[in-house]
Amino acid sequence: MEQLLNLRDLLQHEIEDLYSAEEQIIEALPLMIENTTNRELKKALKDHLQVTKEQKRRLDKVKKLMAGGEEISEEKKSFLERLFGEGTKCKGVEGLIKEGQKMMAEDMEPAVMNAAIIGAAQKIEHYEISGYGTARAYARELGLRDVVKLLEATLKEEYQTDKDLTALALKKVNVAAEKGSRNAGVKTGRTNKGSQPAGRKVAPKKGGSAAAKGRGGAAKKAGTRSRSAAKKTASQQRSR
Ligand code: FE
Ligand code: FE
């Protein structure tokens, strides 16, 4: 009987997963950019959106290189689906993006929101670093040099972004969040009327608003909670 799964199949699955992740990140970043009131963070996220679009194109090249080999059989596909779930949508990044969107729907000081957005962005970067690192290791093992080069180029960019976000968080954004101050130079459009900040954009909801229901209590705790959440981000601890 044919072996159901080999390293090349795993690599192919990983590439599909990363492709879906990049697609979802391209869709999700604009809302994070909009809700950021720190100029440097806004620029860093905007730059990463452009980088991400290029990463998706790089994965197109990887897919073409991989297509030269043996096609993945239906039997293997169903085995991979049992392991990782149906379809090629990356559930890991989908969950991280949803968490970020839920957080952005909460009422909190703009300075605190900036810290929370960095934390959310870095969780996504770490997912990508893990995925690209694994895919590169498989490609190396399989002797697919051109694939290794392409994956490595993206992996370096994800590491750099994570590093830059850490520096920004530790030097500026977390500091501002702790002081509860608003970042200078960017008008937030916030008013004191009602609990929904005027300038805040939220992701469209599918049925009911869980964030709205929990907004009252969450708002009181938001400062403390998101500050500690950002500080506990592994990458931010690592570079201390
Ligand atoms: Fe990426
Ligand atoms: Fe990224």
Side-chain angles (χ1 to χ4, degrees), residues 223-239:
T224 332
R225 199 184 50 198
S226 48
R227 189 176 63 219
S228 65
K231 279 190 172 173
K232 278 176 189 163
T233 303
S235 56
Q236 291 181 26
Q237 275 186 350
R238 196 179 54 206
S239 67

Side-chain angles (χ1 to χ4, degrees), residues 134-145:
T134 299
R136 182 185 61 174
Y138 292 163
R140 266 185 187 156
E141 196 59 42
L142 292 161
L144 303 169
R145 281 191 195 174

Side-chain angles (χ1 to χ4, degrees), residues 48-63:
H48 198 58
L49 177 57
Q50 293 316 310
V51 165
T52 303
K53 287 177 183 170
E54 182 54 39
Q55 291 173 345
K56 194 187 147 190
R57 284 192 280 272
R58 225 175 257 144
L59 284 178
D60 278 321
K61 289 183 197 163
V62 170
K63 279 184 174 189

Side-chain angles (χ1 to χ4, degrees), residues 81-93:
E81 274 183 10
R82 278 203 304 280
L83 265 183
F84 302 108
E86 228 177 294
T88 50
K89 187 161 189 180
C90 171
K91 302 279 195 313
V93 154

